[in-house]
Amino acid sequence: MTSFASLVREANLINGQWVAADSGETIDVTDPASGTTIATVPNAGQAETKRAIEAAHEAFPAYAGLTLSERVALMRKLHDAIQDNLEPMAQMLTAEQGKPLAEARAEVGSSAAYVLWFAEEARRTNGATIPSPIAGRKLMTTRHPVGVVAAITPWNFPSSMLARKLGPALAAGCTAVVKPATATPLSGLVWGHLAEECGFPSGVVNVLTGSARAIGGEITSNPKVRKITFTGSTEIGKQLLAEAAGTVKRMSMELGGNAPFIVFDDADLDKAVDGAIIAKFRNAGQTCICTNRLFVQAGIYDRFVAAFADRVASLKVAPGAEEGSEQGPLVDDAALSKIEELVADALAKGGDLVTGGSRHDRGGLFYQPTVIGNATVSMRVTDEEIFGPIAPVYRFDSEDEAIQAANDTNYGLASYAFTTDLGRAFRLQDRLEYGLIGINEVLIVAPEIPFGGLKESGLGKEGSWQGIDDYLETKYTCIGGL
Ligand code: NAP
């Protein structure tokens, strides 16, 4: 019996009923730290998805018709329920995803914070009155929930990525069909359980696990789905954009990243090293805003690499549930093989192995935190999202060179720089082609800020005063003859 057993739901939630897949098929959920099966979930497909969309569609008018106070009260209850269950939810997250428990606690805490933020934002979904150019008319705009929202989420932040979608959807008065990642379905299913406990009406929140292609195909083609909100890889995001074109839905996309981390000669070395450790090794390097490329100016390069490598070599690699773990396992065999390939490629192309570079003694899916010096642009790590604990360090001379190299990618999600030159900080703000810019700071995400990527890293913003906009339609009304 696990400590989070009471929160585990091994069924899908459709229209207030917890159900198996029509086929009766299930998928095992495994703990990446041990390889053991911790639960099974339904392998649902197109027919179940269609029913879930129908349920959300039927539930929509009544839910959208709740008073603002009633909706806000439900949201506040959901926030409290997450807070009350923070510890078991964090343990569940670590068990299926692998991240250190401290990171899982922070993630679940942030999920609660997003729900509360959007409960508050619901009160500010104002329309406007517009001065009329013609006599006898009143012009105004009003805002209305878009309708059924489908949310598709990744395995690396299975709780908070859903919070950023369900939070604004439910606050705006939308109903939802949710598909969590197959590797980490429990942290998605628990939202169904909590929503039910808090009194959200049947059909408002539906959660499906199973075939991505079958569920995704129905979501993108069903005209009753008015909005898709997706967090995941750029590759799948593009595919969903193309598939959904046939039914012209609103699309929000939080996609991949290739974050630069630039250290200038004038940087505070200790702060830069602290920042690099977090920006690179959080969740074993498996976050969209993890730095992929470290650019270090020639005058500080040797000192930075020595100090950084010392810290990297001392990171505690252990199952996420073990006390003091700083880096857990990778998510699956494919991720581990990719990391091995990327390291081999970098070394074959002249990179220096400063520390790490092999599977970890712990075995299984554990990999050593790795630093590769003298990285060059010909290496695969320059263009590919690493999504693992490899830190390639590139040397540069001038500010211009660093900015050009940083921007030389199709991605544009997060970027970081360390400098004590205020003028340079503002030049970076202007010139870095990224949706998120951290100067002398790497923990830059909070419900209050607009999170989202430029270029092929995405469309739209999550969080902040902008995060609810995509869940609302604006209607314009003209009353004439006055
Ligand atoms: P992924 O392979 O794109 O999967 C994301 C989600 O899409 C999963 O639920 C997946 O289901 C589903 N999916 C896959 N194929 C689909 C299809 N044909 N139709 C509909 N849904 C489909 O990404 P991932 O490996 O889970 O996550 C890592 C990626 O997410 C990285 O690129 C990372 O940068 C990005 N990410 C971005 C942000 C951000 O805010 N910008 C945040 C976190 C992660 P299955 O699990 O069943 O395959």
Side-chain angles (χ1 to χ4, degrees):
M1 188 71 147
T2 58
S3 53
F4 53 83
S6 65
L7 291 180
V8 171
R9 291 292 174 275
E10 295 184 293
N12 284 175
L13 181 62
I14 301 177
N15 204 15
Q17 304 292 315
W18 288 96
V19 293
D22 290 358
S23 64
E25 283 176 25
T26 58
I27 303 170
D28 288 346
V29 185
T30 56
D31 176 349
S34 63
T36 54
T37 300
I38 53 175
T40 60
V41 295
N43 187 3
Q46 187 264 339
E48 297 90 326
T49 310
K50 196 168 180 193
R51 288 202 293 277
I53 294 169
E54 197 57 50
H57 188 250
E58 298 236 321
F60 174 65
Y63 183 64
L66 292 183
T67 64
L68 178 64
S69 304
E70 286 167 335
R71 232 181 309 132
V72 170
L74 283 171
M75 297 292 292
R76 284 185 166 273
K77 268 196 192 174
L78 183 57
H79 163 267
D80 294 349
I82 298 169
Q83 283 288 8
D84 293 346
N85 288 288
L86 193 144
E87 189 56 31
M89 283 174 76
Q91 286 172 6
M92 174 193 277
L93 206 171
T94 289
E96 66 177 348
Q97 201 275 333
K99 68 178 62 176
L101 201 44
E103 291 185 28
R105 289 187 184 117
E107 180 178 342
V108 176
S110 104
S111 296
Y114 274 102
V115 170
L116 187 59
W117 170 264
F118 284 112
E120 292 165 348
E121 281 299 286
R123 298 187 188 279
R124 289 183 275 277
T125 52
N126 308 359
T129 53
I130 303 163
S132 174
I134 297 167
R137 294 185 176 189
K138 289 284 182 195
L139 316 183
M140 66 201 81
T141 61
T142 49
R143 299 174 85 201
H144 306 264
V146 297
V148 176
V149 170
I152 303 177
T153 49
W155 51 264
N156 64 340
F157 284 90
S159 182
S160 59
M161 294 303 104
L162 205 41
R164 290 186 191 173
K165 302 179 186 315
L166 271 181
L170 297 175
C174 300
T175 54
V177 174
V178 170
K179 191 210 101 53
T182 299
T184 55
L186 303 180
S187 297
L189 288 164
V190 73
W191 283 83
H193 164 62
L194 295 181
E196 209 179 22
E197 294 247 297
C198 293
F200 283 86
S202 294
V204 171
V205 177
N206 303 274
V207 190
L208 296 162
T209 52
S211 161
R213 211 162 259 285
I215 297 172
E218 181 62 27
I219 283 173
T220 50
S221 62
N222 192 318
K224 287 180 178 154
V225 174
R226 294 311 316 139
K227 174 180 173 59
I228 295 177
T229 170
F230 172 75
T231 299
S233 60
T234 297
E235 181 195 350
I236 301 294
K238 287 179 180 176
Q239 199 177 311
L240 294 176
L241 284 167
E243 283 177 20
T247 46
V248 191
K249 304 181 193 308
R250 280 168 171 254
M251 303 294 280
S252 296
M253 295 276 139
E254 293 288 350
L255 308 177
N258 183 2
F261 184 104
I262 313 173
V263 183
F264 290 94
D265 283 347
D266 59 24
D268 178 320
L269 180 66
D270 294 341
K271 282 193 182 145
V273 169
D274 287 348
I277 293 287
I278 297 169
K280 178 68 248 182
F281 294 100
R282 198 152 72 105
N283 199 12
Q286 304 171 117
T287 89
C288 54
I289 58 171
C290 267
T291 178
N292 222 50
R293 300 166 294 156
L294 291 98
F295 298 102
V296 183
Q297 203 161 13
I300 198 173
Y301 182 92
D302 290 339
R303 283 181 295 137
F304 176 85
V305 170
F308 179 52
D310 263 6
R311 287 280 300 284
V312 172
S314 68
L315 286 173
K316 178 169 177 181
V317 178
E322 196 173 302
E323 188 64 33
S325 168
E326 292 174 296
Q327 185 188 295
L330 293 174
V331 69
D332 57 24
D333 288 325
L336 187 65
S337 304
K338 182 177 172 201
I339 293 308
E340 289 188 308
E341 278 176 29
L342 290 179
V343 169
D345 171 79
L347 298 183
K349 289 174 180 160
D352 294 340
L353 185 59
V354 186
T355 185
S358 310
R359 292 184 182 216
H360 196 272
D361 293 344
R362 290 234 172 214
L365 297 172
F366 291 93
Y367 195 86
Q368 294 174 341
T370 297
V371 177
I372 292 172
N374 289 321
T376 61
V377 293
S378 64
M379 296 173 182
R380 282 177 57 189
V381 287
T382 308
D383 298 316
E384 290 183 35
E385 204 178 13
I386 298 173
F387 243 59
I390 313 172
V393 191
Y394 306 71
R395 192 189 296 260
F396 72 89
D397 291 309
S398 71
E399 183 181 309
D400 256 6
E401 185 191 344
I403 293 173
Q404 275 173 28
N407 288 340
D408 189 14
T409 167
N410 291 336
Y411 293 107
L413 187 56
S415 58
Y416 310 94
F418 279 72
T419 177
T420 50
D421 177 336
L422 187 60
R424 174 178 279 150
F426 282 110
R427 290 194 294 279
L428 291 167
Q429 181 186 46
D430 284 342
R431 294 185 61 197
L432 284 174
E433 296 166 353
Y434 287 85
L436 308 169
I437 302 174
I439 309 269
N440 299 325
E441 196 54 75
V442 297
L443 291 170
I444 60 175
V445 179
E448 291 81 0
I449 66 104
F451 186 105
L454 311 184
K455 293 155 86 174
E456 293 189 9
S457 286
L459 295 171
K461 302 291 181 193
E462 294 192 327
S464 83
W465 65 98
Q466 295 186 30
I468 202 165
D469 286 352
D470 270 354
Y471 296 80
L472 294 164
E473 302 280 14
T474 296
K475 291 187 192 172
Y476 153 67
T477 309
C478 168
I479 303 180
L482 300 175

